[in-house]
Every structure is written in structure tokens, then in C-alpha cells.
Amino acid sequence: MGVTHLSGLNVAGVPTMGMGGAPFYTGRWFFVDAVNGSDGATGTANDPLATVYRAYSQMTDGANDVCVIVGDGSTAATQRLSLANAQLTDSSATAGTLTWAKDACHLIGMTAPTKVGQRARFAPPSGTYTQATFGSGNFIVVTASGCHFRNFSVYNGFSTGGASQIAWTDSGGRNYYENVDIQGAADAASAQSTSSRSLLLSGSTGEHTFVNCTFGTDTVTRTVANATLEFSGGSPRNTFVGCTFPFQTSAATVLGYIVSAASGIDRWQLFDRCTFINNVQSTSTTMTGLGTLPASAGGLLLMKSCTIVGIGEFGTDATTRGQVYVDGGAPTAGTSGIAVNPT
């Protein structure tokens, strides 16, 4: 059983309000520690489980249960997602994908709340471990709604990656993310695939909020027109506040965002004080535009007090720029805002 011992704002003696700023939830709390835990344990702070797979299997849909990933300041405590580890909890699993399908169940990292590379962390096994062995191009998939994700990082890089590699997919609704670093296309093969993504928001519910998150990585060079962020299925009213999008490129066609088909978004997508940094002072190639939209994308993108560095425009073409609004005295489609692109 998970933790149910409550004392003020403590759970099993652990101060929840101080855990990366996490709020207090009234459900059961499960602690996972890859170094010191065991999946035969009870899941308390003093007797942690080893894997998130096991903790998730014990959580209850709609109950505001919490899984806490215990970091140790190094990569040793990384939650290693693999087919073999998934099968330890579910013998019928055919891939290592972590699927989060229980509403109002939350995932929080216990580690220093730095913005990039938090050591409460998900990654494939170290050494030689391929996407083919993992069994899927989808690393973590969220289909639930009303969940809180906070203070951890995701490194989706294999020794040999593959096409259609997506670090995090969310097709649920009204989920909240804060201080989460999602690094997709983090190996050479996936960085050369046009279908690789760090974040895919799909489905017609949407209304997710991302605060102080980071999407993408600049330690692997992207070489083709893949995108950090994709919207699909009419996803509406998603908000990004204070988020960072890093790029390292050898091609001008690399994208920050993409909507691949008409009606792929609905209403608006708000980027508030977000920064898009292409490392042109560190050999990265200048990107033509930040992203691309089809005609009749189904909604608009609003860039409020955003900055682009090493990127020519907020959109790659006139069709896109006609649906992207950059704030000013009166927001106007297609204006270039505060783009910064040293020459």
C-alpha cells in the first residue's frame, strides 16, 4: 500500500509543500528510488519502490494519488524505461512506454528544482540500448486528465534511435506541467528523422498549462525539418508561460512548432514570455522560421513578449505568419515582434 500517514503538511514525515513547490494532495503517496528502492516494498518514504511502473500500477484513477521520483543529484537514480522493466510489473507489455492513463494522478520529482536536466529523471537504460529493443517510438504517453507533472526531466535518447520518436505525448485534458524538461530527438538517428518530436499535444480536449518548462535539447544537432512541438487533432487553449526551447541545428528547416493538418488546433495557443534559442554563436545554423501552420489551421498562435534568437521569423511562410500574432500596441498577424537574429 502507498503512504497514507498524514501529519499537517507532511506525508510520512516528508514536507510536501516544500517538494519542488508541490501542493498537498489527499490521495496516497508512493515514493520511487531507483538506487535504494525495491518493487516489493510498500512505497513509503522510508521503504520506497524502485520503479514508476510499479508505483503507477498501485495508483487509483481519480484519487489524487502521487508518485514521487527520488533523485540523488546524479544520473544513478534515473528511472530507466525499458521493455524488461515494464514487464516486471506487466508481463504482457510489448514496449517500455510509460502510459499515464489514470485521471488526477500526479508525478513529482524530489530534486533541486533547476530548469534543465533535473536529476529526478527518465531515460532509457545506459550503454547499448536501441529504440527497436524498447519496442515503440513513444517514450511517455499521457491519456489522463487533471494530472500534475512537476520538477523532473525526460531524456529520450537511445544508443540507436529511430524514426517517429516522440518523447512525450499528451492526448488527455487540462493537465498542468511545471519545471519539466522534455528532451526529444536526443540521439543522432532520431535527430535526423522528420517525425521526431519532444512534445505532441493531440486530441480535442487540450487546455493544458506549461510553466517554466524546457522542450528540446541543444546537445544533439538536428539535421532535418523535424519539430520540437506538434499540435494535432484540434487541441485548444494550451498555455506556455516562461518556457524555453533550445536548438542546435545544421539545417535551416528545423522547426520549433508544427501543425501538420488543417484544423490541427482550435481557438488559441498562448506563448507568454517564452524564449526560443538557436545557438548560432555555437556553430548552429540559422533557422528560416520558428514554425509552420497549414492553411485553416483552426486557431491562432499568440506570442506574448517572446524572444527568438537565431531564427528569422515566427513563421516560415506567409500562410503561417498570417495565423501567428505577436503582441504590441494592437496585436497584428505576421509581425516580427522582438526577433533577435544576429548577422
Side-chain angles (χ1 to χ4, degrees):
M1 295 294 289
V3 176
T4 55
H5 310 294
L6 306 182
S7 176
L9 294 179
N10 290 343
V11 176
V14 177
T16 60
M17 290 298 289
M19 197 178 299
F24 176 74
Y25 286 108
T26 57
R28 297 179 298 166
W29 288 63
F30 298 91
F31 291 79
V32 295
D33 185 334
V35 174
N36 302 301
S38 166
D39 276 353
T42 59
T44 65
N46 295 324
D47 189 29
L49 298 166
T51 69
V52 171
Y53 295 115
R54 181 61 175 165
Y56 176 79
S57 73
Q58 298 186 42
M59 299 170 80
T60 301
D61 182 42
N64 280 298
D65 287 350
V66 181
C67 174
V68 179
I69 308 168
V70 179
D72 71 350
S74 74
T75 59
T78 298
Q79 285 291 309
R80 302 289 180 181
L81 300 187
S82 69
L83 174 57
N85 284 342
Q87 288 176 335
L88 292 175
T89 296
D90 179 4
S91 61
S92 67
T94 58
T97 303
L98 175 64
T99 299
W100 203 266
K102 297 175 182 178
D103 294 347
C105 284
H106 316 294
L107 183 61
I108 296 169
M110 181 188 288
T111 188
T114 184
K115 191 172 183 179
V116 177
Q118 299 90 328
R119 279 342 193 205
R121 180 175 182 260
F122 291 97
S126 57
T128 301
Y129 191 86
T130 68
Q131 180 182 309
T133 304
F134 185 77
S136 174
N138 296 306
F139 198 54
I140 298 176
V141 174
V142 178
T143 61
S145 297
C147 302
H148 184 164
F149 301 99
R150 190 183 194 100
N151 202 40
F152 59 85
S153 63
V154 177
Y155 180 81
N156 189 201
F158 294 92
S159 58
T160 302
S164 301
Q165 193 164 300
I166 301 173
W168 191 286
T169 301
D170 193 329
S171 61
R174 303 176 186 91
N175 293 318
Y176 179 85
Y177 297 76
E178 186 164 351
N179 203 48
V180 176
D181 178 16
I182 302 176
Q183 301 179 27
D187 57 64
S190 61
Q192 297 176 48
S193 169
T194 57
S195 52
S196 290
R197 307 285 186 263
S198 288
L199 175 63
L200 170 62
L201 297 181
S202 63
S204 59
T205 304
E207 298 180 354
H208 306 297
T209 299
F210 301 85
V211 178
N212 293 331
C213 294
T214 302
F215 304 100
T217 179
D218 53 17
T219 58
V220 178
T221 300
R222 290 160 59 181
T223 62
V224 296
N226 51 32
T228 303
L229 166 63
E230 179 175 359
F231 301 98
S232 70
S235 186
R237 306 183 191 89
N238 297 296
T239 301
F240 299 80
V241 180
C243 295
T244 302
F245 295 74
F247 304 89
Q248 186 74 23
T249 76
S250 64
T253 54
V254 169
L255 300 169
Y257 67 83
I258 190 170
V259 177
S260 298
S263 302
I265 56 176
D266 190 15
R267 299 326 192 253
W268 46 263
Q269 314 296 325
L270 172 61
F271 294 84
D272 183 357
R273 291 162 289 151
C274 294
T275 307
F276 305 86
I277 309 172
N278 182 20
N279 296 304
V280 289
Q281 299 294 343
S282 301
T283 73
S284 192
T285 300
T286 299
M287 294 160 55
T288 301
L290 181 59
T292 185
L293 302 173
S296 304
L300 62 87
L301 271 63
L302 174 59
M303 301 288 179
K304 181 183 188 313
S305 301
C306 293
T307 301
I308 56 177
V309 178
I311 304 167
E313 292 280 357
F314 280 96
T316 56
D317 54 78
T319 297
T320 298
R321 292 191 292 271
Q323 301 171 85
V324 178
Y325 290 75
V326 181
D327 73 341
T332 303
T335 58
S336 59
I338 51 175
V340 178
N341 186 20
T343 58

